[in-house]
Structures are given as structure tokens and as C-alpha cells.
Amino acid sequence: MAAVCMGEGIHWVGALNPNMRIFDVVMKTDNGTSYNAYLVRGQDKTALIDTCHGAFYDAFIENIRQVCPVDSIDYIIMNHCEPDHSGALARLLEACPGAKLLATQAGALYLKNITNREDLPIQRVKDGEEIDLGGKTLRFIAAPFLHWPDSMFTYCPQARTAFTCDFLGSHYCEPYMRDSDIAYPGAYQRAFKLYFDAIFGPFLPYVRAGLGKLKALDVDTVCPSHGPVLHRGCQLENAMEAYAQWSAEQKRGQLFVPIFYCSAYGNTARLAQAIAGGIRQALPDADVQCLDINDNDGARLAAAINTCDAFAIGTPTINADAVAPVWQLLAQVDAIHARKKPVLAFGSYGWSGEAVGNICARLSGLKCAVFGEGLKVCFVPSEQDIQRAGETGYAFGQAIAAGK
Ligand code: FEO
């Protein structure tokens, strides 16, 4: 797609990737994506905001050429350095050797390793700092963890336009760049929510902070780095309201402590019930649920493990390890939110019982607060084992209460 004028002196010069179906290995996209980059031209200077994925360099550079000579770019502003925005940077710098790179302190560090150049012409910018393009200024606004430590917004007050990189973006691709031209609004809304959940779900307090900074500006247009540009009176208000709702603090009156388990012959299931009884004794007001992993929907389990206050997880040992459904559930754990979360591992085994230790190691790697060494029982739990499981649950419940 050719360059698009988005307002006086502002052009979209990105590239479309309508065929992308998986982003960043983990995120499915039904509608492809766009890698948005913007040229902002003042009377004296020209700035390019973000670059694009390295595989789309040719389309990107052609769009720049439609607006201005590539070597006339004075500043390349890197709002965020993930390779979908920085992949074309090393080649671009060869085409405009006089350009100065502007990035946050964290961004400057990343860019050296992304380009493998120690001599990058980087100027580190601070929150609130501005550059003058002549009749237009660009102000940099720190936006850490939206969604990397390096992230920032760039704001042009004269154009009432904020360039927010991934924030308010979407993996959505139509051959238009304005929200008013979206042909399939339902598909766009789904893509917008999916993108929020996948990219910003782990960073909700930072989303609230970023929204606050954006609301404090006089903004009519938001130019994100993926998907349509958002305008006041069209999608912008809806998009900001959606972010506000999705990032709002959830106040739950009750502690939620699920007990996930797999059980081949009912032994680990009996331990789960005994542990649940102990937790309920220690935390009588808590919502304590035993969830057989094989009997529950994967999305429900993933939501439970990521929104709970603490959890226990049980597995038999088969062939010296935990069973696959348990590992699959643990692969869904959001490592950002799992830090310091109280967790307990347990399980019945026959020969050697490695599974509980292996799970504890995984949970420790996620920086959870792992409760002791877990609970292991050989074959069928005896009455004493059931009593021990109940006592372990009770002690775990007390530890949860002590941490609250
Ligand atoms: Fe679109 Fe975080 O990169």
C-alpha cells in the first residue's frame, strides 16, 4: 500500500502484512497486521517515528520515498524496539547515515544489540523532552512496560496527535489506515481485544498509567504501530474506554484458591480433596475449588490459574515426570503475575515420585512462593496420608493468610 497522508505534514509510511497468522510465536491473528511508521515533517526537520519488520523493508522504504528523500530524514524516533518495529533499522541507517536515533535509556541499550552496532548515533531522551521540527514539536512521554521497559509515546501538540506504538494497536489489516474506513468492524473489535489481552494483559497497572498520560494530553488522533489510526469522534473514545474497563482493578471480596490435579487411579484426586479441606479450615471464607484438569475447559483453567490468589497443583508421576496435561496448564501461567503467588505441589507416585519435585522446580523458576517441598504419597493414600494432606492444606492456607 502507498504512503497515506494522515494530516498536514504527517504521513503513514508503514507496510501491510495481511497474511500473518501467528505473531511473536504465541499470538494468533486472523486478520494479519500492519507495521505502522510515520513521517512527521516540519519546516526545518523531518522525523520518522518507528521503522518496521525487516522482511518488509522494500515496501517501507518505497513509501518513505513517496514523501521525501530517505537521506533527508533528520531523526528516527524509536518508541519501542521490538523487532517488528526495529527490524528494518540497520538497513535504514545505511540509507540515511546523517539521521540521529532517539530512544529511551532502555531502548538505546536494546538497539545496540538489535543492530549489533556500538557506534549508533543515539540520543537518549527523557520524559517530557521535546525536539523542534520547525512549526511542529515532538514531545516524548515515558510509557514503561507498554509493553517493554523501553516503551514511550511521542506527542505532536500542533497536530493533536499521539504516536503510541503498540498501545491502542491491533493486529488487524485492511488496505486502509483510518478507523473510519474499517470494512469489518466486528473483526476489528475482536482483534483489538485479542491484542490487548495478549500484549497488555500482564501490565494492567501500566495500562492505567499510560491512559492517564494520554488523557492529560490534547489528543484528537492516535497513531499506533499496528492496525488502524484512531480519531476522536470515530473509534478513539471507544478504544480508550475499552482499555480503561479492561485494565480496571478487580476488587474481589473472596480469596480464590483452585486446586488443579490429574489423577490416573483416584489417588492424587483424594489428596486434592484432603488439601482442599485443610485450606477451607484455615480460610473459611475462601473460594476453594478442586478442578480435574482433564474434565475442564483449557481456557477456564488458564483463567483460573492466572486470576487466583494462590493455587495447588497435583500430578501422578509417570515415567519419572509429571503428566502432560499438568505441564500444559503450567505453560499457560502468566509469569509476570505469578511472582510471589503462593503455590503447593502434590501427588501420588508408584516407583520414584519425581513429578512433585519437577513441578516445584518449574514454579520456583516462575518465582512463585512455593510451599515447602510439596506433598508426595506412595501409591494409595493411607488414613495417615490423608490426615497429612489435610494438615498440609491447613498450613498452606495459613501461609496464604499470612501473605495477605
Ligand atoms: Fe509491535 Fe511490541 O511490538
Side-chain angles (χ1 to χ4, degrees), residues 300-329:
R300 180 189 174 205
L301 294 169
I305 207 165
N306 286 318
T307 60
C308 65
D309 299 286
F311 67 86
I313 185 159
T315 176
T317 296
I318 294 182
N319 294 334
D321 200 1
V323 296
V326 168
W327 287 125
Q328 284 159 5
L329 177 58

PDB file of all heavy atoms in Angstrom, residues 300-329:
ATOM      1  N   ARG A 300     -10.832 -22.062  30.685  1.00  0.00           N
ATOM      2  CA  ARG A 300     -11.303 -21.816  32.060  1.00  0.00           C
ATOM      3  C   ARG A 300     -10.155 -22.050  33.048  1.00  0.00           C
ATOM      4  O   ARG A 300      -9.946 -21.289  33.993  1.00  0.00           O
ATOM      5  CB  ARG A 300     -12.473 -22.749  32.379  1.00  0.00           C
ATOM      6  CG  ARG A 300     -12.999 -22.532  33.771  1.00  0.00           C
ATOM      7  CD  ARG A 300     -14.014 -23.574  34.202  1.00  0.00           C
ATOM      8  NE  ARG A 300     -14.348 -23.349  35.609  1.00  0.00           N
ATOM      9  CZ  ARG A 300     -14.802 -24.285  36.422  1.00  0.00           C
ATOM     10  NH1 ARG A 300     -15.013 -25.502  35.989  1.00  0.00           N
ATOM     11  NH2 ARG A 300     -15.059 -24.012  37.682  1.00  0.00           N
ATOM     12  N   LEU A 301      -9.395 -23.137  32.805  1.00  0.00           N
ATOM     13  CA  LEU A 301      -8.272 -23.438  33.692  1.00  0.00           C
ATOM     14  C   LEU A 301      -7.209 -22.347  33.630  1.00  0.00           C
ATOM     15  O   LEU A 301      -6.666 -21.928  34.659  1.00  0.00           O
ATOM     16  CB  LEU A 301      -7.663 -24.790  33.313  1.00  0.00           C
ATOM     17  CG  LEU A 301      -8.547 -26.015  33.532  1.00  0.00           C
ATOM     18  CD1 LEU A 301      -7.928 -27.237  32.877  1.00  0.00           C
ATOM     19  CD2 LEU A 301      -8.768 -26.261  35.022  1.00  0.00           C
ATOM     20  N   ALA A 302      -6.927 -21.885  32.414  1.00  0.00           N
ATOM     21  CA  ALA A 302      -5.899 -20.838  32.255  1.00  0.00           C
ATOM     22  C   ALA A 302      -6.344 -19.567  32.961  1.00  0.00           C
ATOM     23  O   ALA A 302      -5.539 -18.898  33.626  1.00  0.00           O
ATOM     24  CB  ALA A 302      -5.646 -20.577  30.767  1.00  0.00           C
ATOM     25  N   ALA A 303      -7.634 -19.222  32.819  1.00  0.00           N
ATOM     26  CA  ALA A 303      -8.133 -18.020  33.505  1.00  0.00           C
ATOM     27  C   ALA A 303      -8.023 -18.199  35.010  1.00  0.00           C
ATOM     28  O   ALA A 303      -7.611 -17.276  35.732  1.00  0.00           O
ATOM     29  CB  ALA A 303      -9.578 -17.755  33.094  1.00  0.00           C
ATOM     30  N   ALA A 304      -8.354 -19.389  35.499  1.00  0.00           N
ATOM     31  CA  ALA A 304      -8.310 -19.622  36.949  1.00  0.00           C
ATOM     32  C   ALA A 304      -6.883 -19.530  37.483  1.00  0.00           C
ATOM     33  O   ALA A 304      -6.627 -18.897  38.514  1.00  0.00           O
ATOM     34  CB  ALA A 304      -8.918 -20.989  37.271  1.00  0.00           C
ATOM     35  N   ILE A 305      -5.936 -20.128  36.769  1.00  0.00           N
ATOM     36  CA  ILE A 305      -4.563 -20.161  37.298  1.00  0.00           C
ATOM     37  C   ILE A 305      -3.930 -18.773  37.272  1.00  0.00           C
ATOM     38  O   ILE A 305      -3.049 -18.469  38.074  1.00  0.00           O
ATOM     39  CB  ILE A 305      -3.705 -21.200  36.536  1.00  0.00           C
ATOM     40  CG1 ILE A 305      -2.576 -21.717  37.435  1.00  0.00           C
ATOM     41  CG2 ILE A 305      -3.138 -20.646  35.233  1.00  0.00           C
ATOM     42  CD1 ILE A 305      -1.889 -22.970  36.939  1.00  0.00           C
ATOM     43  N   ASN A 306      -4.434 -17.907  36.379  1.00  0.00           N
ATOM     44  CA  ASN A 306      -3.846 -16.568  36.285  1.00  0.00           C
ATOM     45  C   ASN A 306      -4.567 -15.515  37.106  1.00  0.00           C
ATOM     46  O   ASN A 306      -4.021 -14.434  37.320  1.00  0.00           O
ATOM     47  CB  ASN A 306      -3.769 -16.138  34.815  1.00  0.00           C
ATOM     48  CG  ASN A 306      -2.660 -16.873  34.095  1.00  0.00           C
ATOM     49  OD1 ASN A 306      -1.564 -17.046  34.629  1.00  0.00           O
ATOM     50  ND2 ASN A 306      -2.926 -17.338  32.889  1.00  0.00           N
ATOM     51  N   THR A 307      -5.784 -15.815  37.536  1.00  0.00           N
ATOM     52  CA  THR A 307      -6.512 -14.804  38.319  1.00  0.00           C
ATOM     53  C   THR A 307      -6.634 -15.183  39.794  1.00  0.00           C
ATOM     54  O   THR A 307      -7.090 -14.373  40.594  1.00  0.00           O
ATOM     55  CB  THR A 307      -7.941 -14.596  37.762  1.00  0.00           C
ATOM     56  OG1 THR A 307      -8.640 -15.841  37.821  1.00  0.00           O
ATOM     57  CG2 THR A 307      -7.906 -14.092  36.326  1.00  0.00           C
ATOM     58  N   CYS A 308      -6.218 -16.397  40.145  1.00  0.00           N
ATOM     59  CA  CYS A 308      -6.406 -16.833  41.536  1.00  0.00           C
ATOM     60  C   CYS A 308      -5.408 -16.139  42.471  1.00  0.00           C
ATOM     61  O   CYS A 308      -4.419 -15.550  42.030  1.00  0.00           O
ATOM     62  CB  CYS A 308      -6.244 -18.350  41.632  1.00  0.00           C
ATOM     63  SG  CYS A 308      -4.592 -18.930  41.259  1.00  0.00           S
ATOM     64  N   ASP A 309      -5.678 -16.238  43.758  1.00  0.00           N
ATOM     65  CA  ASP A 309      -4.783 -15.655  44.769  1.00  0.00           C
ATOM     66  C   ASP A 309      -3.666 -16.622  45.138  1.00  0.00           C
ATOM     67  O   ASP A 309      -2.600 -16.209  45.602  1.00  0.00           O
ATOM     68  CB  ASP A 309      -5.586 -15.290  46.010  1.00  0.00           C
ATOM     69  CG  ASP A 309      -6.654 -14.262  45.687  1.00  0.00           C
ATOM     70  OD1 ASP A 309      -6.292 -13.095  45.481  1.00  0.00           O
ATOM     71  OD2 ASP A 309      -7.841 -14.628  45.588  1.00  0.00           O
ATOM     72  N   ALA A 310      -3.929 -17.911  44.983  1.00  0.00           N
ATOM     73  CA  ALA A 310      -2.953 -18.967  45.274  1.00  0.00           C
ATOM     74  C   ALA A 310      -3.502 -20.223  44.618  1.00  0.00           C
ATOM     75  O   ALA A 310      -4.686 -20.291  44.307  1.00  0.00           O
ATOM     76  CB  ALA A 310      -2.827 -19.176  46.778  1.00  0.00           C
ATOM     77  N   PHE A 311      -2.654 -21.223  44.396  1.00  0.00           N
ATOM     78  CA  PHE A 311      -3.195 -22.478  43.876  1.00  0.00           C
ATOM     79  C   PHE A 311      -2.343 -23.645  44.329  1.00  0.00           C
ATOM     80  O   PHE A 311      -1.180 -23.490  44.712  1.00  0.00           O
ATOM     81  CB  PHE A 311      -3.330 -22.451  42.338  1.00  0.00           C
ATOM     82  CG  PHE A 311      -2.038 -22.402  41.555  1.00  0.00           C
ATOM     83  CD1 PHE A 311      -1.335 -23.569  41.233  1.00  0.00           C
ATOM     84  CD2 PHE A 311      -1.527 -21.188  41.104  1.00  0.00           C
ATOM     85  CE1 PHE A 311      -0.157 -23.525  40.498  1.00  0.00           C
ATOM     86  CE2 PHE A 311      -0.353 -21.125  40.365  1.00  0.00           C
ATOM     87  CZ  PHE A 311       0.340 -22.300  40.056  1.00  0.00           C
ATOM     88  N   ALA A 312      -2.981 -24.831  44.278  1.00  0.00           N
ATOM     89  CA  ALA A 312      -2.256 -26.090  44.470  1.00  0.00           C
ATOM     90  C   ALA A 312      -2.385 -26.867  43.176  1.00  0.00           C
ATOM     91  O   ALA A 312      -3.371 -26.712  42.439  1.00  0.00           O
ATOM     92  CB  ALA A 312      -2.850 -26.866  45.637  1.00  0.00           C
ATOM     93  N   ILE A 313      -1.380 -27.676  42.881  1.00  0.00           N
ATOM     94  CA  ILE A 313      -1.445 -28.450  41.646  1.00  0.00           C
ATOM     95  C   ILE A 313      -0.890 -29.846  41.916  1.00  0.00           C
ATOM     96  O   ILE A 313       0.181 -30.002  42.515  1.00  0.00           O
ATOM     97  CB  ILE A 313      -0.710 -27.720  40.481  1.00  0.00           C
ATOM     98  CG1 ILE A 313      -0.911 -28.492  39.167  1.00  0.00           C
ATOM     99  CG2 ILE A 313       0.748 -27.447  40.791  1.00  0.00           C
ATOM    100  CD1 ILE A 313      -0.681 -27.643  37.926  1.00  0.00           C
ATOM    101  N   GLY A 314      -1.672 -30.842  41.492  1.00  0.00           N
ATOM    102  CA  GLY A 314      -1.310 -32.216  41.800  1.00  0.00           C
ATOM    103  C   GLY A 314      -1.162 -33.062  40.545  1.00  0.00           C
ATOM    104  O   GLY A 314      -1.905 -32.899  39.580  1.00  0.00           O
ATOM    105  N   THR A 315      -0.213 -33.970  40.600  1.00  0.00           N
ATOM    106  CA  THR A 315       0.035 -34.834  39.451  1.00  0.00           C
ATOM    107  C   THR A 315       0.589 -36.179  39.909  1.00  0.00           C
ATOM    108  O   THR A 315       1.385 -36.237  40.855  1.00  0.00           O
ATOM    109  CB  THR A 315       1.052 -34.182  38.491  1.00  0.00           C
ATOM    110  OG1 THR A 315       1.345 -35.108  37.430  1.00  0.00           O
ATOM    111  CG2 THR A 315       2.360 -33.824  39.184  1.00  0.00           C
ATOM    112  N   PRO A 316       0.193 -37.253  39.267  1.00  0.00           N
ATOM    113  CA  PRO A 316       0.912 -38.502  39.476  1.00  0.00           C
ATOM    114  C   PRO A 316       2.274 -38.429  38.796  1.00  0.00           C
ATOM    115  O   PRO A 316       2.513 -37.534  37.981  1.00  0.00           O
ATOM    116  CB  PRO A 316       0.023 -39.546  38.790  1.00  0.00           C
ATOM    117  CG  PRO A 316      -0.850 -38.796  37.850  1.00  0.00           C
ATOM    118  CD  PRO A 316      -0.897 -37.368  38.300  1.00  0.00           C
ATOM    119  N   THR A 317       3.143 -39.357  39.164  1.00  0.00           N
ATOM    120  CA  THR A 317       4.420 -39.480  38.459  1.00  0.00           C
ATOM    121  C   THR A 317       4.304 -40.627  37.458  1.00  0.00           C
ATOM    122  O   THR A 317       3.974 -41.753  37.847  1.00  0.00           O
ATOM    123  CB  THR A 317       5.571 -39.768  39.436  1.00  0.00           C
ATOM    124  OG1 THR A 317       5.724 -38.654  40.315  1.00  0.00           O
ATOM    125  CG2 THR A 317       6.895 -39.989  38.694  1.00  0.00           C
ATOM    126  N   ILE A 318       4.509 -40.322  36.196  1.00  0.00           N
ATOM    127  CA  ILE A 318       4.505 -41.365  35.169  1.00  0.00           C
ATOM    128  C   ILE A 318       5.792 -41.221  34.362  1.00  0.00           C
ATOM    129  O   ILE A 318       6.113 -40.127  33.884  1.00  0.00           O
ATOM    130  CB  ILE A 318       3.262 -41.254  34.265  1.00  0.00           C
ATOM    131  CG1 ILE A 318       1.999 -41.545  35.102  1.00  0.00           C
ATOM    132  CG2 ILE A 318       3.353 -42.225  33.080  1.00  0.00           C
ATOM    133  CD1 ILE A 318       0.695 -41.529  34.354  1.00  0.00           C
ATOM    134  N   ASN A 319       6.530 -42.296  34.281  1.00  0.00           N
ATOM    135  CA  ASN A 319       7.825 -42.277  33.588  1.00  0.00           C
ATOM    136  C   ASN A 319       8.709 -41.145  34.106  1.00  0.00           C
ATOM    137  O   ASN A 319       9.264 -40.355  33.357  1.00  0.00           O
ATOM    138  CB  ASN A 319       7.638 -42.164  32.069  1.00  0.00           C
ATOM    139  CG  ASN A 319       6.983 -43.400  31.501  1.00  0.00           C
ATOM    140  OD1 ASN A 319       7.087 -44.490  32.059  1.00  0.00           O
ATOM    141  ND2 ASN A 319       6.273 -43.247  30.394  1.00  0.00           N
ATOM    142  N   ALA A 320       8.761 -41.042  35.432  1.00  0.00           N
ATOM    143  CA  ALA A 320       9.684 -40.137  36.125  1.00  0.00           C
ATOM    144  C   ALA A 320       9.381 -38.669  35.929  1.00  0.00           C
ATOM    145  O   ALA A 320      10.264 -37.818  36.086  1.00  0.00           O
ATOM    146  CB  ALA A 320      11.137 -40.435  35.720  1.00  0.00           C
ATOM    147  N   ASP A 321       8.123 -38.345  35.605  1.00  0.00           N
ATOM    148  CA  ASP A 321       7.803 -36.923  35.419  1.00  0.00           C
ATOM    149  C   ASP A 321       6.326 -36.686  35.675  1.00  0.00           C
ATOM    150  O   ASP A 321       5.525 -37.639  35.752  1.00  0.00           O
ATOM    151  CB  ASP A 321       8.166 -36.486  33.995  1.00  0.00           C
ATOM    152  CG  ASP A 321       8.333 -34.980  33.867  1.00  0.00           C
ATOM    153  OD1 ASP A 321       8.181 -34.267  34.884  1.00  0.00           O
ATOM    154  OD2 ASP A 321       8.613 -34.514  32.748  1.00  0.00           O
ATOM    155  N   ALA A 322       5.963 -35.394  35.748  1.00  0.00           N
ATOM    156  CA  ALA A 322       4.548 -35.010  35.793  1.00  0.00           C
ATOM    157  C   ALA A 322       3.910 -35.338  34.453  1.00  0.00           C
ATOM    158  O   ALA A 322       4.602 -35.484  33.437  1.00  0.00           O
ATOM    159  CB  ALA A 322       4.430 -33.519  36.096  1.00  0.00           C
ATOM    160  N   VAL A 323       2.582 -35.412  34.435  1.00  0.00           N
ATOM    161  CA  VAL A 323       1.900 -35.796  33.196  1.00  0.00           C
ATOM    162  C   VAL A 323       1.676 -34.569  32.303  1.00  0.00           C
ATOM    163  O   VAL A 323       1.653 -33.421  32.766  1.00  0.00           O
ATOM    164  CB  VAL A 323       0.565 -36.506  33.493  1.00  0.00           C
ATOM    165  CG1 VAL A 323       0.838 -37.824  34.222  1.00  0.00           C
ATOM    166  CG2 VAL A 323      -0.357 -35.617  34.332  1.00  0.00           C
ATOM    167  N   ALA A 324       1.473 -34.845  31.021  1.00  0.00           N
ATOM    168  CA  ALA A 324       1.428 -33.770  30.024  1.00  0.00           C
ATOM    169  C   ALA A 324       0.354 -32.711  30.305  1.00  0.00           C
ATOM    170  O   ALA A 324       0.634 -31.504  30.168  1.00  0.00           O
ATOM    171  CB  ALA A 324       1.240 -34.364  28.629  1.00  0.00           C
ATOM    172  N   PRO A 325      -0.891 -33.070  30.713  1.00  0.00           N
ATOM    173  CA  PRO A 325      -1.886 -32.004  30.942  1.00  0.00           C
ATOM    174  C   PRO A 325      -1.457 -31.014  32.034  1.00  0.00           C
ATOM    175  O   PRO A 325      -1.807 -29.834  31.973  1.00  0.00           O
ATOM    176  CB  PRO A 325      -3.146 -32.788  31.363  1.00  0.00           C
ATOM    177  CG  PRO A 325      -2.963 -34.146  30.767  1.00  0.00           C
ATOM    178  CD  PRO A 325      -1.489 -34.417  30.843  1.00  0.00           C
ATOM    179  N   VAL A 326      -0.705 -31.512  33.004  1.00  0.00           N
ATOM    180  CA  VAL A 326      -0.216 -30.610  34.059  1.00  0.00           C
ATOM    181  C   VAL A 326       0.810 -29.635  33.482  1.00  0.00           C
ATOM    182  O   VAL A 326       0.766 -28.431  33.724  1.00  0.00           O
ATOM    183  CB  VAL A 326       0.372 -31.428  35.225  1.00  0.00           C
ATOM    184  CG1 VAL A 326       1.153 -30.544  36.185  1.00  0.00           C
ATOM    185  CG2 VAL A 326      -0.741 -32.160  35.953  1.00  0.00           C
ATOM    186  N   TRP A 327       1.725 -30.155  32.682  1.00  0.00           N
ATOM    187  CA  TRP A 327       2.713 -29.266  32.058  1.00  0.00           C
ATOM    188  C   TRP A 327       2.028 -28.261  31.140  1.00  0.00           C
ATOM    189  O   TRP A 327       2.420 -27.093  31.057  1.00  0.00           O
ATOM    190  CB  TRP A 327       3.746 -30.072  31.262  1.00  0.00           C
ATOM    191  CG  TRP A 327       4.726 -30.810  32.130  1.00  0.00           C
ATOM    192  CD1 TRP A 327       4.991 -32.142  32.108  1.00  0.00           C
ATOM    193  CD2 TRP A 327       5.594 -30.249  33.134  1.00  0.00           C
ATOM    194  NE1 TRP A 327       5.945 -32.457  33.035  1.00  0.00           N
ATOM    195  CE2 TRP A 327       6.346 -31.311  33.681  1.00  0.00           C
ATOM    196  CE3 TRP A 327       5.798 -28.967  33.630  1.00  0.00           C
ATOM    197  CZ2 TRP A 327       7.278 -31.125  34.691  1.00  0.00           C
ATOM    198  CZ3 TRP A 327       6.732 -28.776  34.636  1.00  0.00           C
ATOM    199  CH2 TRP A 327       7.464 -29.848  35.159  1.00  0.00           C
ATOM    200  N   GLN A 328       0.988 -28.739  30.424  1.00  0.00           N
ATOM    201  CA  GLN A 328       0.290 -27.818  29.510  1.00  0.00           C
ATOM    202  C   GLN A 328      -0.373 -26.683  30.280  1.00  0.00           C
ATOM    203  O   GLN A 328      -0.360 -25.526  29.851  1.00  0.00           O
ATOM    204  CB  GLN A 328      -0.746 -28.579  28.684  1.00  0.00           C
ATOM    205  CG  GLN A 328      -0.095 -29.386  27.559  1.00  0.00           C
ATOM    206  CD  GLN A 328      -0.973 -30.509  27.053  1.00  0.00           C
ATOM    207  OE1 GLN A 328      -2.116 -30.658  27.473  1.00  0.00           O
ATOM    208  NE2 GLN A 328      -0.435 -31.315  26.159  1.00  0.00           N
ATOM    209  N   LEU A 329      -0.950 -27.006  31.444  1.00  0.00           N
ATOM    210  CA  LEU A 329      -1.565 -25.944  32.244  1.00  0.00           C
ATOM    211  C   LEU A 329      -0.483 -24.988  32.760  1.00  0.00           C
ATOM    212  O   LEU A 329      -0.654 -23.762  32.719  1.00  0.00           O
ATOM    213  CB  LEU A 329      -2.360 -26.547  33.407  1.00  0.00           C
ATOM    214  CG  LEU A 329      -2.996 -25.521  34.354  1.00  0.00           C
ATOM    215  CD1 LEU A 329      -3.940 -24.585  33.602  1.00  0.00           C
ATOM    216  CD2 LEU A 329      -3.745 -26.219  35.477  1.00  0.00           C
TER     217      LEU A 329
END
